[in-house]
mmCIF file of all heavy atoms in Angstrom:
data_model
loop_
_atom_site.group_PDB
_atom_site.id
_atom_site.type_symbol
_atom_site.label_atom_id
_atom_site.label_comp_id
_atom_site.label_asym_id
_atom_site.label_seq_id
_atom_site.Cartn_x
_atom_site.Cartn_y
_atom_site.Cartn_z
ATOM 1 N N THR A 1 10.570 16.058 11.365
ATOM 2 C CA THR A 1 9.934 14.749 11.261
ATOM 3 C C THR A 1 8.566 14.865 10.617
ATOM 4 O O THR A 1 7.940 15.939 10.602
ATOM 5 C CB THR A 1 9.791 14.082 12.611
ATOM 6 O OG1 THR A 1 8.981 14.893 13.483
ATOM 7 C CG2 THR A 1 11.144 13.855 13.269
ATOM 8 N N LEU A 2 8.092 13.771 10.064
ATOM 9 C CA LEU A 2 6.748 13.689 9.491
ATOM 10 C C LEU A 2 5.828 12.963 10.448
ATOM 11 O O LEU A 2 6.188 11.907 10.977
ATOM 12 C CB LEU A 2 6.790 12.966 8.145
ATOM 13 C CG LEU A 2 7.619 13.640 7.045
ATOM 14 C CD1 LEU A 2 7.635 12.764 5.791
ATOM 15 C CD2 LEU A 2 7.067 15.019 6.717
ATOM 16 N N GLY A 3 4.641 13.531 10.666
ATOM 17 C CA GLY A 3 3.665 12.925 11.558
ATOM 18 C C GLY A 3 3.043 11.653 10.988
ATOM 19 O O GLY A 3 3.117 11.397 9.764
ATOM 20 N N ALA A 4 2.398 10.887 11.836
ATOM 21 C CA ALA A 4 1.779 9.629 11.408
ATOM 22 C C ALA A 4 0.708 9.880 10.364
ATOM 23 O O ALA A 4 0.454 9.020 9.492
ATOM 24 C CB ALA A 4 1.193 8.901 12.610
ATOM 25 N N GLY A 5 0.039 11.028 10.402
ATOM 26 C CA GLY A 5 -0.994 11.327 9.441
ATOM 27 C C GLY A 5 -0.482 11.607 8.054
ATOM 28 O O GLY A 5 -1.258 11.749 7.109
ATOM 29 N N GLN A 6 0.832 11.759 7.907
ATOM 30 C CA GLN A 6 1.428 12.059 6.605
ATOM 31 C C GLN A 6 2.005 10.822 5.914
ATOM 32 O O GLN A 6 2.559 10.918 4.817
ATOM 33 C CB GLN A 6 2.544 13.101 6.752
ATOM 34 C CG GLN A 6 2.069 14.461 7.246
ATOM 35 C CD GLN A 6 3.261 15.378 7.507
ATOM 36 O OE1 GLN A 6 3.796 15.441 8.579
ATOM 37 N NE2 GLN A 6 3.669 16.100 6.463
ATOM 38 N N VAL A 7 1.911 9.673 6.554
ATOM 39 C CA VAL A 7 2.549 8.456 6.059
ATOM 40 C C VAL A 7 1.552 7.314 6.097
ATOM 41 O O VAL A 7 0.790 7.133 7.088
ATOM 42 C CB VAL A 7 3.794 8.073 6.907
ATOM 43 C CG1 VAL A 7 4.467 6.851 6.322
ATOM 44 C CG2 VAL A 7 4.780 9.232 6.985
ATOM 45 N N ALA A 8 1.499 6.509 5.016
ATOM 46 C CA ALA A 8 0.672 5.317 4.989
ATOM 47 C C ALA A 8 1.502 4.170 4.389
ATOM 48 O O ALA A 8 2.180 4.350 3.392
ATOM 49 C CB ALA A 8 -0.558 5.558 4.112
ATOM 50 N N THR A 9 1.454 2.998 5.054
ATOM 51 C CA THR A 9 2.254 1.867 4.662
ATOM 52 C C THR A 9 1.409 0.623 4.579
ATOM 53 O O THR A 9 0.554 0.386 5.441
ATOM 54 C CB THR A 9 3.416 1.652 5.684
ATOM 55 O OG1 THR A 9 4.157 2.866 5.797
ATOM 56 C CG2 THR A 9 4.337 0.541 5.213
ATOM 57 N N TRP A 10 1.650 -0.193 3.539
ATOM 58 C CA TRP A 10 0.946 -1.452 3.384
ATOM 59 C C TRP A 10 1.921 -2.554 2.985
ATOM 60 O O TRP A 10 2.800 -2.343 2.121
ATOM 61 C CB TRP A 10 -0.132 -1.368 2.290
ATOM 62 C CG TRP A 10 -1.147 -0.280 2.502
ATOM 63 C CD1 TRP A 10 -2.296 -0.358 3.229
ATOM 64 C CD2 TRP A 10 -1.085 1.058 1.975
ATOM 65 N NE1 TRP A 10 -2.962 0.832 3.194
ATOM 66 C CE2 TRP A 10 -2.248 1.716 2.433
ATOM 67 C CE3 TRP A 10 -0.174 1.744 1.193
ATOM 68 C CZ2 TRP A 10 -2.497 3.040 2.104
ATOM 69 C CZ3 TRP A 10 -0.419 3.059 0.876
ATOM 70 C CH2 TRP A 10 -1.586 3.702 1.336
ATOM 71 N N ASP A 11 1.778 -3.736 3.582
ATOM 72 C CA ASP A 11 2.507 -4.921 3.155
ATOM 73 C C ASP A 11 1.685 -5.625 2.099
ATOM 74 O O ASP A 11 0.466 -5.817 2.244
ATOM 75 C CB ASP A 11 2.739 -5.855 4.360
ATOM 76 C CG ASP A 11 3.711 -5.241 5.369
ATOM 77 O OD1 ASP A 11 4.694 -4.656 4.923
ATOM 78 O OD2 ASP A 11 3.467 -5.380 6.588
ATOM 79 N N LEU A 12 2.345 -6.017 1.022
ATOM 80 C CA LEU A 12 1.657 -6.606 -0.121
ATOM 81 C C LEU A 12 2.092 -8.053 -0.344
ATOM 82 O O LEU A 12 3.249 -8.400 -0.089
ATOM 83 C CB LEU A 12 1.937 -5.789 -1.401
ATOM 84 C CG LEU A 12 1.533 -4.324 -1.373
ATOM 85 C CD1 LEU A 12 1.991 -3.621 -2.652
ATOM 86 C CD2 LEU A 12 0.021 -4.165 -1.174
ATOM 87 N N ALA A 13 1.177 -8.845 -0.821
ATOM 88 C CA ALA A 13 1.496 -10.240 -1.127
ATOM 89 C C ALA A 13 2.351 -10.299 -2.398
ATOM 90 O O ALA A 13 2.260 -9.435 -3.269
ATOM 91 C CB ALA A 13 0.208 -11.058 -1.332
ATOM 92 N N ASP A 14 3.140 -11.357 -2.497
ATOM 93 C CA ASP A 14 3.990 -11.550 -3.688
ATOM 94 C C ASP A 14 3.223 -12.267 -4.760
ATOM 95 O O ASP A 14 3.498 -13.426 -5.122
ATOM 96 C CB ASP A 14 5.221 -12.341 -3.262
ATOM 97 C CG ASP A 14 6.204 -12.527 -4.438
ATOM 98 O OD1 ASP A 14 6.204 -11.676 -5.346
ATOM 99 O OD2 ASP A 14 6.959 -13.506 -4.418
ATOM 100 N N GLU A 15 2.194 -11.604 -5.313
ATOM 101 C CA GLU A 15 1.359 -12.199 -6.332
ATOM 102 C C GLU A 15 0.742 -11.090 -7.162
ATOM 103 O O GLU A 15 0.596 -9.936 -6.719
ATOM 104 C CB GLU A 15 0.239 -13.029 -5.685
ATOM 105 C CG GLU A 15 -0.655 -12.214 -4.734
ATOM 106 C CD GLU A 15 -1.675 -13.066 -4.026
ATOM 107 O OE1 GLU A 15 -1.455 -14.300 -3.955
ATOM 108 O OE2 GLU A 15 -2.693 -12.523 -3.549
ATOM 109 N N PRO A 16 0.389 -11.380 -8.418
ATOM 110 C CA PRO A 16 -0.147 -10.343 -9.313
ATOM 111 C C PRO A 16 -1.368 -9.636 -8.800
ATOM 112 O O PRO A 16 -1.599 -8.444 -9.061
ATOM 113 C CB PRO A 16 -0.437 -11.107 -10.596
ATOM 114 C CG PRO A 16 0.493 -12.254 -10.608
ATOM 115 C CD PRO A 16 0.616 -12.646 -9.152
ATOM 116 N N ALA A 17 -2.199 -10.345 -8.030
ATOM 117 C CA ALA A 17 -3.414 -9.724 -7.488
ATOM 118 C C ALA A 17 -3.115 -8.548 -6.570
ATOM 119 O O ALA A 17 -3.972 -7.682 -6.315
ATOM 120 C CB ALA A 17 -4.267 -10.760 -6.762
ATOM 121 N N ALA A 18 -1.884 -8.465 -6.067
ATOM 122 C CA ALA A 18 -1.517 -7.384 -5.144
ATOM 123 C C ALA A 18 -1.478 -6.029 -5.849
ATOM 124 O O ALA A 18 -1.593 -4.995 -5.192
ATOM 125 C CB ALA A 18 -0.140 -7.669 -4.539
ATOM 126 N N VAL A 19 -1.321 -6.030 -7.170
ATOM 127 C CA VAL A 19 -1.267 -4.768 -7.897
ATOM 128 C C VAL A 19 -2.620 -4.053 -7.789
ATOM 129 O O VAL A 19 -2.658 -2.835 -7.557
ATOM 130 C CB VAL A 19 -0.914 -5.016 -9.381
ATOM 131 C CG1 VAL A 19 -0.885 -3.713 -10.181
ATOM 132 C CG2 VAL A 19 0.461 -5.680 -9.479
ATOM 133 N N ALA A 20 -3.713 -4.767 -7.949
ATOM 134 C CA ALA A 20 -5.029 -4.137 -7.828
ATOM 135 C C ALA A 20 -5.251 -3.646 -6.395
ATOM 136 O O ALA A 20 -5.837 -2.575 -6.174
ATOM 137 C CB ALA A 20 -6.123 -5.140 -8.208
ATOM 138 N N LYS A 21 -4.790 -4.421 -5.423
ATOM 139 C CA LYS A 21 -4.927 -3.958 -4.012
ATOM 140 C C LYS A 21 -4.105 -2.693 -3.803
ATOM 141 O O LYS A 21 -4.558 -1.813 -3.038
ATOM 142 C CB LYS A 21 -4.502 -5.077 -3.082
ATOM 143 C CG LYS A 21 -5.425 -6.285 -3.087
ATOM 144 C CD LYS A 21 -4.964 -7.330 -2.105
ATOM 145 C CE LYS A 21 -5.914 -8.530 -2.088
ATOM 146 N NZ LYS A 21 -5.480 -9.583 -1.127
ATOM 147 N N ALA A 22 -2.936 -2.614 -4.390
ATOM 148 C CA ALA A 22 -2.127 -1.411 -4.243
ATOM 149 C C ALA A 22 -2.831 -0.194 -4.801
ATOM 150 O O ALA A 22 -2.851 0.866 -4.176
ATOM 151 C CB ALA A 22 -0.777 -1.617 -4.924
ATOM 152 N N ARG A 23 -3.443 -0.335 -5.959
ATOM 153 C CA ARG A 23 -4.205 0.774 -6.550
ATOM 154 C C ARG A 23 -5.354 1.190 -5.626
ATOM 155 O O ARG A 23 -5.631 2.381 -5.442
ATOM 156 C CB ARG A 23 -4.744 0.393 -7.935
ATOM 157 C CG ARG A 23 -3.681 0.319 -9.009
ATOM 158 C CD ARG A 23 -4.325 0.311 -10.383
ATOM 159 N NE ARG A 23 -5.196 -0.828 -10.595
ATOM 160 C CZ ARG A 23 -4.798 -1.940 -11.164
ATOM 161 N NH1 ARG A 23 -3.558 -2.100 -11.585
ATOM 162 N NH2 ARG A 23 -5.662 -2.944 -11.340
ATOM 163 N N SER A 24 -6.029 0.209 -5.035
ATOM 164 C CA SER A 24 -7.130 0.507 -4.124
ATOM 165 C C SER A 24 -6.635 1.262 -2.909
ATOM 166 O O SER A 24 -7.256 2.222 -2.459
ATOM 167 C CB SER A 24 -7.822 -0.791 -3.709
ATOM 168 O OG SER A 24 -8.871 -0.534 -2.789
ATOM 169 N N HIS A 25 -5.478 0.827 -2.341
ATOM 170 C CA HIS A 25 -4.923 1.528 -1.179
ATOM 171 C C HIS A 25 -4.593 2.974 -1.527
ATOM 172 O O HIS A 25 -4.883 3.891 -0.745
ATOM 173 C CB HIS A 25 -3.637 0.819 -0.739
ATOM 174 C CG HIS A 25 -3.869 -0.526 -0.139
ATOM 175 N ND1 HIS A 25 -4.899 -0.805 0.721
ATOM 176 C CD2 HIS A 25 -3.133 -1.709 -0.235
ATOM 177 C CE1 HIS A 25 -4.847 -2.075 1.100
ATOM 178 N NE2 HIS A 25 -3.762 -2.640 0.536
ATOM 179 N N VAL A 26 -4.005 3.175 -2.707
ATOM 180 C CA VAL A 26 -3.601 4.517 -3.119
ATOM 181 C C VAL A 26 -4.826 5.427 -3.279
ATOM 182 O O VAL A 26 -4.869 6.565 -2.775
ATOM 183 C CB VAL A 26 -2.789 4.473 -4.432
ATOM 184 C CG1 VAL A 26 -2.603 5.888 -5.004
ATOM 185 C CG2 VAL A 26 -1.441 3.804 -4.192
#
């Protein structure tokens, strides 16, 4: 199994502005 520190998850809005937020999260 993979520990919690090895995984990061984000829910994104269904809108173009979410792409910039995704880059920021990464």
Side-chain angles (χ1 to χ4, degrees):
T1 60
L2 296 177
Q6 296 175 270
V7 183
T9 305
W10 303 273
D11 292 319
L12 302 175
D14 183 26
E15 59 185 20
V19 178
K21 292 182 179 180
R23 288 196 298 266
S24 177
H25 291 320
V26 170

